[in-house]
Every structure is written in structure tokens, then in C-alpha cells.
Amino acid sequence: MPDKVETTLMLIAAGEFSMGILGNAFIGLVNCMGWIKNRKITSIDLILTSLAISRICLLCIILLDCFILVLYPDVYTAGKQMRIIDFFWTLTNHLSVWFATCLSIFYFLKIANFYHPLFLWMKWRIDSMIPRILLGCLAVSAFISLVVTENLNDDFRYCVKTKRKANVTVRCRVNKAQYASIKICLNLLTLLPFSASLISFLLLILSLWRHNRQMKVSATRCRDFNIEAHVGAMKAVISFLLLFIAYYLAFLVATSSYFMPETELAVIIGELIALIYPSSHSFILILGSKKLRQTSLTVLWKVKYILNRRNF
């Protein structure tokens, strides 16, 4: 790649990384300080903290991969370094998606109004189940990561690095076919949490529609906090769904780029688009949480006050 293109892409990546770290670190810090102060943590704060930590790790891995591809492209030839990056990227990617899905389902169970026995049982048990669910997400993500990295052998990495220097041999074609099948399975697995979030969103819409109909029947005109809760939860879930679609497409570009010319450029562009999801969604979550929103306004007011004092 030309030097100007490399510099521009790296600056964009650094900017997205900085914004993502700022937003996710703020969420984690606020919730951890509240945990230390109160000696307990609510289920929603535990999910948000876990999500923030997973996204900070994901942002670090993506940025590291960008810099390695641009500055030290031959590092991946050895295989071991690429295997490590593959493992942690797959792990943090799945953790981020599964934790966001847990958040969507938690919103649904806490806010929606249904009278089915299974729904009521889940609504009653969800708070005690959250720690185990999060640990289960970690175990599943680690297992998937191990399977993926074990199947990406060093022969495939050699074929990737030498594809423009030599003709593609039969062995390379076999390795690429195996890689393609693994990545297809991996991408299909990420559709499971996406489907769960989509179902939660649709059920929230149904719950809101039923609630509005009941309000019209009872002719209630006072302010309804239940409707506000529904709308707030739906905004959080729909923002995750839309950003995840963009992230998913970018992830496909990055993981499929080994079959295209200009591999490094395709990977970096895909990763730049992928960075938008963990970076911007954190600020949407801050605006959607009353505690986080008020804390952020307090912090901004204090920063403004300090800057004004220094000017004088």
C-alpha cells in the first residue's frame, strides 16, 4: 500500500480505537466504582461491565492486527503470532456478541409484559442466572476459539503470504477450502446470538403494542413509565442489531480477504468498519442508561469547570 494510504488508515483506526476505549472504559469504571462502594453489583451493571471489558480487548486486538499488517506484515509468516491473534480476536468477538445478546434478553425479560408461565419463571430467575450465563458465554467462546485456531495450520499461512510470489499448488487450494468451511461455520455461529436479539426486539414490540392497547381501553392519559422503558430498551436493542449487521459484513470482508488480491488492504478496510461497532455502541448504552448519562454529564461539567479555571 502507498505510504499516504497507510498513514490515513492508521489514523482512522487510532481515532476509532480511542473513542471506543474512552466509552467502554467509562462504563467499566463507573460500574466497578459503584460495585466497590456498595459492595454489590446489579445484574444490568454486571452485563454492561462484562461487555465493556470484552470490547476493550476486541478493540486492542483489532488495532494490533492493523498495525502488524501495515508495519510488520512478515510477522504472520511464522504462524505462531497469527495463531495467537486469531484466538484472541475470535474469543473477544464472540464474547462481545454474546454479552450484547444477554443485554438484549435481559431488557426483554425485565420490561416486557407477558403472562406465559415460562416467561414469568425466566423473569423471576434471571437475576440469579446472569453470572452463570456470562460464564457460560465465556466457556463457549473459548471453545470456539480453540477449534478455529487449531484448524488454521501453518501451511495455510504460508500459502497466504506466498500467493503473489508463486503459483497456487494443490496443497494451498486444499488449505484454502478448509479455511473457507471453518469461516462459514464461524460466521453462522454468530447468527445465533443475533437471532436471539432480533426475537427479543420483536417481542418487545409486541409487548409495547399490547400495553398501548390496554392503555386505550382504560383511557389512561397520565405519563406511562412502562412505555418509556419499552422505547428505551427497543432503542438499545435496535442500535445493537444495526451496528452488528455492519460489523458482521466487515468481518466477512476481513476473513474472506485471503481469497482476494491486496489482502492487507482488504483486511484493514474491513477492520476499520468493524471498529465502528464496539466503539459507537458504548456511547449509545451510556445515553440509554440514566446512571451512566448523569455520571457522564457530571464528569463533563467538572472538566469544563477545570478548563475554565485554567483559562483565568
Side-chain angles (χ1 to χ4, degrees):
M1 285 185 292
D3 291 339
K4 290 184 178 179
V5 176
E6 290 180 1
T7 304
T8 303
L9 292 177
M10 287 299 98
L11 286 174
I12 295 172
E16 292 180 347
F17 171 81
S18 301
M19 294 299 293
I21 291 295
L22 180 65
N24 287 293
F26 176 79
I27 293 174
L29 251 162
V30 171
N31 289 331
C32 287
M33 289 174 65
W35 189 357
I36 295 170
K37 182 180 179 181
N38 301 321
R39 296 184 179 179
K40 63 179 181 179
I41 186 169
T42 62
S43 298
I44 184 68
D45 288 343
L46 182 59
I47 297 173
L48 287 172
T49 304
S50 304
L51 180 59
I53 293 172
S54 68
R55 285 178 171 171
I56 289 173
C57 297
L58 178 61
L59 286 164
C60 293
I61 291 295
I62 294 177
L63 187 70
L64 176 63
D65 194 50
C66 284
F67 275 100
I68 290 176
L69 283 170
V70 172
L71 301 177
Y72 308 102
D74 293 330
V75 167
Y76 285 156
T77 308
K80 183 178 180 180
Q81 291 84 354
M82 189 174 182
R83 189 184 294 271
I84 294 171
I85 295 292
D86 284 339
F87 173 80
F88 283 106
W89 191 357
T90 306
L91 175 64
T92 54
N93 172 53
H94 276 269
L95 275 179
S96 175
V97 174
W98 278 108
F99 287 164
T101 302
C102 290
L103 183 64
S104 301
I105 296 173
F106 184 83
Y107 281 143
F108 162 67
L109 291 174
K110 285 296 183 179
I111 295 171
N113 293 314
F114 294 101
Y115 299 100
H116 192 278
L118 178 60
F119 174 82
L120 294 175
W121 180 82
M122 292 176 65
K123 189 183 185 76
W124 177 62
R125 294 278 296 172
I126 186 62
D127 285 312
S128 60
M129 292 171 63
I130 284 297
R132 283 174 285 178
I133 291 173
L134 295 179
L135 287 174
C137 292
L138 177 60
V140 170
S141 300
F143 175 76
I144 293 171
S145 305
L146 287 172
V147 171
V148 170
T149 51
E150 283 300 317
N151 282 276
L152 297 182
N153 54 41
D154 295 339
D155 285 343
F156 171 75
R157 295 176 177 86
Y158 175 79
C159 293
V160 169
K161 299 307 296 183
T162 59
K163 66 180 181 180
R164 286 178 294 181
K165 300 177 183 178
N167 294 329
V168 178
T169 63
V170 174
R171 189 182 68 177
C172 287
R173 284 197 295 269
V174 170
N175 277 294
K176 286 189 175 184
Q178 291 175 350
Y179 176 81
S181 63
I182 292 167
K183 284 302 178 183
I184 288 171
C185 293
L186 175 64
N187 290 325
L188 288 176
L189 284 173
T190 56
L191 290 178
L192 292 175
F194 175 80
S195 301
S197 295
L198 182 60
I199 293 170
S200 299
F201 175 71
L202 295 175
L203 289 174
L204 275 172
I205 293 177
L206 177 61
S207 176
L208 179 60
W209 175 76
R210 290 178 58 184
H211 184 73
N212 278 331
R213 190 175 63 176
Q214 291 174 359
M215 293 287 290
K216 289 179 180 178
V217 171
S218 60
T220 304
R221 296 183 179 180
C222 61
R223 186 181 179 186
D224 192 347
F225 292 99
N226 200 354
I227 292 179
E228 293 181 6
H230 272 81
V231 173
M234 287 167 59
K235 287 180 180 178
V237 176
I238 194 63
S239 64
F240 161 67
L241 293 174
L242 293 175
L243 288 169
F244 178 77
I245 291 172
Y247 175 79
Y248 185 77
L249 294 175
F251 187 72
L252 283 177
V253 170
T255 55
S256 304
S257 60
Y258 296 111
F259 308 99
M260 309 174 189
E262 297 297 332
T263 293
E264 288 80 5
L265 181 60
V267 171
I268 292 173
I269 291 175
E271 290 179 351
L272 288 179
I273 300 173
L275 279 168
I276 297 173
Y277 159 64
S279 300
S280 58
H281 193 234
S282 59
F283 291 97
I284 296 173
L285 293 176
I286 291 172
L287 293 175
S289 170
K290 184 179 179 181
K291 182 180 75 172
L292 293 173
R293 186 172 63 251
Q294 289 178 345
T295 306
S296 64
L297 290 174
T298 303
V299 171
L300 289 173
W301 181 85
K302 288 182 178 179
V303 170
K304 183 180 178 181
Y305 176 75
I306 292 171
L307 292 175
N308 288 336
R309 287 193 61 183
R310 287 186 177 182
N311 290 334
F312 289 105

